[in-house]
Amino acid sequence: MSSAAVAYARENHPRYLDDLKALLRIPSVSTLPEHKGDCRKAAETLLAELKRIGMENARLIETEGHPLVYADWLRAAGKPTVLVYGHYDVQPPDPLDEWLSPPFEPTERNGNLYARGAVDDKGQVVAQVKALESLLGANRALPINVRVIFEGEEEVGGEGIAEYVASKPANLKADFALVSDTELFAPGLPTLCVGLRGMIYTELEVRGAKTDLHSGIYGGAAPNPFVSLAHIIAKLKDENGHILIPGFYDDVVPPSAEELATWRQLPFDEEEYRKTEVGSKQLVGEPGYSVLERTWARPTLDVHGIPGGFIGAGAKTVIPAKALAKVSMRLVPNQTPAKAFALYKSYVEKIAPAGVDVEVRLIHSGDACLIPVDNPYIRAATRALHEVWGKDTVFIRSGGSIPIVGDFDRHLGLPSIMMGFGLPDDNLHAPNEKFNLKNFALGIESLIRFLEEVGR
Ligand code: BES
Ligand code: MN
Ligand code: MN
């Protein structure tokens, strides 16, 4: 491969890594109000970068939440247009004491860069920017037309970008989207992700007495919302991981026999996965489905936290007035968030124990997506990946969600190329998140070669 842009990327790599570290030092945690300013700072940093490398019309687009970052370069007459997407917001870093180096002080250790957001998604956003910088730096032009849109609310449901995509589709007119926010199936194995699960994230609140009560004086007469909540949760899903909400599975479309056959060819060792990735004594889930099916193509339900009541040191004999659970469901193709939420809400209201009131609230949601694989952009991607990684590309799905990808299809009519460079053990959303440094470098080269292939 003789690409001036790839040579440019290699020459400038140390500086590229410094630029990534600068972005990682900004704690742009989108869910925490105290980091609102940091989210804006991350957006402004990316904006300045896009301007510096020669992108045009660079600007922040204000939303009700954190700003979008937009830029374009539309001078490749007659060539396709790509919409480059990533997110600059990150998940909260806690639990802090489990980090070996502080989450917002990017640190290199054994070939990896450790920081919150290293791989999800700042490392991959910077890889995209650096691919553009290399192309513009080496050729003073891009091989195709490019629009860039970065959001700062992906980790909280992506409402701002969804609103923008729905209301201003013409501003993002393109032929396909390039999303770098996914992983390789295994180290060194070039991967395109062609499916994501959707989700609904909810809060379930149970209220009993009008105020907290002495559990000796009132225990036996006053309802306990935590116990009621436990009863409700126990009825959401059985011991086999089967969701008990009536009608919940009605719209599920299973993967095709062909797709399942390709999954069986993937290098996957269930016992290794149990030991090194999950680290539990046993895996759980619906019998009759492989781990890949269960995590990629079956809906699931999880409880994330049960705040409230007495959680201090020692003992307090109290019957709390209310209890809360954060509950989410992952959805698969053809299930809709609206219907899933409606079924869940009416079921919970029906099974609510006597003496308590329940309230079910939707926090955010996103659709599942499944990308068709027979298009020229997928073919260009596999050619580019083969050059850089020396191997044929595998097509996978992921159990995670990127809410806007479904909207790119629905509102903009764009197929998404999900070309990401994370690894299965990168600790996304967990302590000691990392990005493999080689994947950062080869990721930039892959993105460069991909855009060049599309422009050929
Ligand atoms: N990048 C992830 C999703 C992902 C992870 C896709 C691994 C493929 C492989 C994304 O940032 C994410 O975490 N999304 C959230 C979305 C939610 C908060 C709406 C998720 O999946 O929990
Ligand atoms: Mn992400
Ligand atoms: Mn994430």
Side-chain angles (χ1 to χ4, degrees):
M1 109 182 84
S2 74
S3 160
V6 168
Y8 190 99
R10 289 181 187 167
E11 266 160 45
N12 286 280
H13 194 72
R15 180 172 60 80
Y16 286 4
L17 186 57
D18 285 343
D19 290 344
L20 169 55
K21 288 178 182 171
L23 187 63
L24 288 170
R25 288 194 190 96
I26 306 169
S28 47
V29 182
S30 51
T31 201
L32 300 175
E34 62 268 35
H35 287 293
K36 196 170 163 59
D38 293 314
C39 291
R40 180 165 297 271
K41 207 169 140 199
E44 280 167 353
T45 301
L46 285 167
L47 178 71
E49 281 286 283
L50 290 165
K51 284 183 181 162
R52 181 182 62 74
I53 67 174
M55 295 295 291
E56 301 176 331
N57 299 310
R59 62 197 172 95
L60 295 188
I61 298 169
E62 297 301 332
T63 71
E64 308 247 301
H66 307 303
L68 303 171
V69 184
Y70 176 86
D72 62 32
W73 193 95
L74 304 170
R75 297 171 183 274
K79 300 287 186 183
T81 302
V82 61
L83 180 63
V84 172
Y85 164 86
H87 63 93
Y88 63 78
D89 63 321
V90 301
Q91 290 267 329
D94 56 277
L96 285 175
D97 53 359
E98 285 184 34
W99 285 79
L100 297 178
S101 50
F104 298 109
E105 288 174 28
T107 306
E108 287 180 49
R109 260 194 323 272
N110 44 54
N112 297 308
L113 183 63
Y114 287 84
R116 169 59 82 234
V119 68
D120 186 14
D121 185 31
K122 288 173 176 172
Q124 309 210 56
V125 163
V126 171
Q128 292 176 327
V129 173
K130 295 309 175 187
L132 298 175
E133 177 171 357
S134 306
L135 287 160
L136 286 164
N139 311 320
R140 303 192 170 281
L142 296 176
I144 60 175
N145 300 297
V146 174
R147 295 182 195 269
V148 174
I149 189 92
F150 296 141
E151 70 161 314
E153 298 181 300
E154 194 277 339
E155 301 290 9
V156 290
E159 244 174 69
I161 191 172
E163 219 272 314
Y164 188 74
V165 164
S167 66
K168 302 254 169 41
N171 292 4
L172 299 176
K173 195 172 176 318
D175 297 290
F176 68 103
L178 171 59
V179 175
S180 299
D181 192 22
T182 55
E183 346 180 284
L184 304 183
F185 187 75
L189 186 61
T191 303
L192 292 174
C193 179
V194 298
L196 295 168
R197 287 196 288 189
M199 85 175 317
I200 55 174
Y201 198 108
T202 76
E203 281 181 352
L204 212 173
E205 187 170 303
V206 180
R207 285 185 299 267
K210 68 178 198 291
T211 179
D212 287 10
L213 297 170
H214 188 295
S215 66
I217 301 174
Y218 296 100
N224 184 311
F226 274 93
V227 176
S228 302
L229 184 57
H231 283 297
I232 295 172
I233 290 171
K235 290 190 178 116
L236 293 177
K237 190 166 132 173
D238 72 13
E239 291 81 354
N240 288 323
H242 188 79
I243 296 165
L244 298 171
I245 301 167
F248 195 77
Y249 291 92
D250 285 0
D251 298 329
V252 169
V253 173
S256 68
E258 295 78 39
E259 195 177 13
L260 285 172
T262 67
W263 295 356
R264 281 192 287 272
Q265 305 298 309
L266 292 168
F268 183 76
D269 178 337
E270 186 170 318
E271 181 55 12
E272 181 70 13
Y273 168 86
R274 180 194 65 78
K275 270 213 300 255
T276 63
E277 276 192 58
V278 178
S280 60
K281 65 178 184 187
Q282 202 187 305
L283 296 174
V284 301
E286 293 175 287
Y289 297 93
S290 69
V291 166
L292 297 183
E293 281 175 271
R294 280 166 13 229
T295 56
W296 292 353
R298 295 292 294 168
T300 48
L301 181 149
D302 277 287
V303 179
H304 307 286
I306 305 186
F310 177 67
I311 53 164
K316 178 184 180 189
T317 46
V318 67
I319 298 175
K322 61 177 192 186
L324 186 75
K326 293 185 183 273
V327 179
S328 83
M329 278 143 266
R330 297 281 168 173
L331 309 177
V332 300
N334 225 33
Q335 288 185 295
T336 65
K339 183 168 172 197
F341 182 70
L343 292 172
Y344 162 71
K345 186 172 187 307
S346 64
Y347 177 62
V348 167
E349 283 162 0
K350 202 181 103 216
I351 63 173
V356 295
D357 287 317
V358 298
E359 192 190 331
V360 183
R361 296 187 285 264
L362 183 64
I363 306 294
H364 61 66
S365 64
D367 283 85
C369 70
L370 195 54
I371 310 293
V373 291
D374 55 342
N375 64 60
Y377 311 111
I378 292 270
R379 290 191 285 279
T382 59
R383 289 198 300 275
L385 289 170
H386 196 279
E387 267 190 37
V388 175
W389 300 82
K391 285 187 187 154
D392 286 341
T393 296
V394 296
F395 296 91
I396 69 165
R397 293 200 206 176
S398 168
S401 310
I402 308 174
I404 199 61
V405 174
D407 296 26
F408 285 160
D409 176 26
R410 260 190 316 283
H411 293 292
L412 305 177
L414 307 185
S416 288
I417 301 298
M418 290 190 271
M419 185 189 283
F421 305 98
L423 290 177
D425 67 350
D426 275 346
N427 299 321
L428 279 74
H429 297 196
N432 304 306
E433 178 179 348
K434 67 175 174 68
F435 194 11
N436 183 270
L437 287 166
K438 191 174 158 205
N439 283 21
F440 178 52
L442 293 187
I444 296 169
E445 295 184 18
S446 302
L447 293 165
I448 292 171
R449 292 293 301 118
F450 173 48
L451 298 180
E452 289 180 337
E453 279 299 313
V454 175
R456 241 176 26 153

